[in-house]
Amino acid sequence: MDRILLLVAACVAAAHLMGVSGRRHNGGDMSHSKHRRRDLVDGAARDANLEPMTPEQQNNTEVVAQVGGTATIKCYTHFLGDETVTWLKRDEEQLLTAGGQVYSSESRYSVSHVRHQKLWELSVRNIRLSDAGQYECQLTTHPPTSLFFTLKVVEAVAVIVGGPEIHVHTGVKLRLHCNVELATEDPQYIFWFHNGSMINFASSRPVKVVKHPFSSSLIISNVTWRDAGSYNCEPHKARSANITLHVIEGEKHAALHNGQNDAGSVEHTNTASDSAHCTSNMLLIGWSLLLVPMTNFVILKVRCRS
């Protein structure tokens, strides 16, 4: 009997241990499943934020790129099946790519396939004006389906505010501002040149260059005669701009030059004094003539400055 009770107790203890172990194992599975469900929900949320592009939404899309830059044309194949895409330059009947293979003789073309987004991208590096035109994204469906894109190429241009010539007094603080217009990419750098020499990093001159998005400022804290001349703003992948700086005498020196200083006032006072002195001399001569006998009359000629 004791042996039977011991056997039953052993079985109960074993079952209990198996149950605890099972619950722990199941708990781990539940935790793993919870994380997995969370990842699936997050992934679904991310996919939901990426609204599929319909063929109608992207057909006849215009893409703008600047000379020297990179153009990327995106062709989404949602609702059209995950078919192989062929890229063509339509106005030249030129085959560019088929699938992931580039058939153009130019190395400027590349193609990529983002499978989970059903996206085919055609990239053209070092854009030229001749690259403008119509591009076709053709799917190997039956019958073939095509989406068309227009590439517009612009030339970025630098413009210096206040040009083409400015006149500045010596001793003032000058700021030259250069804007890069029509650019589709922020230039990597904008160089400033004075009479042909770059001054962005010239430690020998009291100038400062500040880079802004799509623009740059050149600051001269104290304009001197040596600052006169031609200034060029040359952005990366953009046409440069030029401005001519004429340095003139500062306000104090300009006043001296224009005769509006203290010396000028003194000069103006001296002129009035001479006139008064001439008038008094004429009066004295008049009284003298009255005292001189007619027989000894002498004609005196007096010349006064006007």
Side-chain angles (χ1 to χ4, degrees):
M1 186 66 180
D2 292 338
R3 289 182 179 179
I4 294 174
L5 290 174
L6 288 173
L7 182 60
V8 171
C11 291
V12 171
H16 177 71
L17 289 173
M18 289 180 64
V20 171
S21 176
R23 281 196 296 273
R24 287 178 180 172
H25 179 70
N26 291 337
D29 286 346
M30 289 175 65
S31 176
H32 178 71
S33 300
K34 187 183 295 183
H35 287 297
R36 187 176 180 182
R37 284 197 300 272
R38 184 181 301 165
D39 292 340
L40 291 173
V41 170
D42 292 342
R46 286 193 298 269
D47 293 339
N49 291 330
L50 298 174
E51 296 183 2
M53 291 281 289
T54 65
E56 293 77 13
Q57 287 175 320
Q58 57 182 324
N59 195 31
N60 297 319
T61 300
E62 183 179 87
V63 178
V64 182
Q66 71 182 79
V67 172
T70 300
T72 301
I73 307 176
K74 299 183 177 185
C75 180
Y76 291 92
T77 60
H78 293 291
F79 314 108
L80 299 173
D82 193 16
E83 303 292 337
T84 300
V85 162
T86 298
W87 283 99
L88 305 97
K89 194 169 191 302
R90 193 63 191 172
D91 46 0
E92 296 180 3
E93 295 294 335
Q94 178 185 359
L95 175 65
L96 302 177
T97 69
Q101 184 68 36
V102 177
Y103 286 94
S104 173
S105 59
E106 293 199 45
S107 60
R108 298 184 301 123
Y109 293 98
S110 62
V111 64
S112 62
H113 183 204
V114 187
R115 190 176 299 275
H116 70 280
Q117 293 185 15
K118 294 190 174 181
L119 169 64
W120 289 84
E121 287 184 333
L122 174 69
S123 295
V124 189
R125 298 184 301 276
N126 193 21
I127 286 288
R128 306 167 184 167
L129 290 173
S130 59
D131 292 323
Q134 192 174 61
Y135 290 77
E136 179 181 355
C137 169
Q138 187 180 95
L139 284 76
T140 56
T141 55
H142 299 285
T145 304
S146 293
L147 297 173
F148 297 93
F149 304 84
T150 301
L151 176 60
K152 181 181 178 181
V153 179
V154 297
E155 186 175 6
V157 179
V159 177
I160 301 178
V161 179
E165 295 185 359
I166 57 173
H167 297 76
V168 176
H169 291 289
T170 56
V172 302
K173 182 178 180 179
L174 174 65
R175 179 191 296 266
L176 296 177
H177 193 73
C178 177
N179 293 319
V180 185
E181 300 182 352
L182 302 179
T184 60
E185 307 172 12
D186 189 16
Q188 295 181 9
Y189 55 81
I190 299 177
F191 289 148
W192 285 91
F193 292 83
H194 178 223
N195 295 332
S197 300
M198 191 176 71
I199 56 177
N200 286 59
F201 312 104
S203 58
S204 60
R205 300 198 52 187
V207 298
K208 180 181 180 182
V209 175
V210 181
K211 175 72 170 63
H212 312 282
F214 296 95
S215 66
S216 175
S217 295
L218 172 66
I219 303 171
I220 304 175
S221 57
N222 184 16
V223 173
T224 62
W225 297 107
R226 64 177 298 197
D227 295 317
S230 176
Y231 287 84
N232 279 65
C233 170
E234 298 189 7
H236 184 226
K237 298 180 182 178
R239 194 168 8 138
S240 64
N242 173 271
I243 192 170
T244 301
L245 172 62
H246 300 280
V247 177
I248 58 179
E249 294 165 316
E251 295 180 0
K252 183 176 180 180
H253 298 289
L256 286 170
H257 180 73
N258 294 329
Q260 298 174 353
N261 58 337
D262 295 338
S265 301
V266 170
E267 180 183 355
H268 178 71
T269 303
N270 287 343
T271 302
S273 176
D274 290 343
S275 177
H277 182 67
C278 178
T279 302
S280 83
N281 286 341
M282 291 180 67
L283 290 174
L284 290 173
I285 292 172
W287 284 105
S288 299
L289 289 175
L290 291 175
L291 298 176
V292 174
M294 293 298 293
T295 55
N296 299 324
F297 182 76
V298 178
I299 297 176
L300 299 176
K301 185 178 181 181
V302 180
R303 183 177 181 182
C304 294
R305 289 184 298 174
S306 58

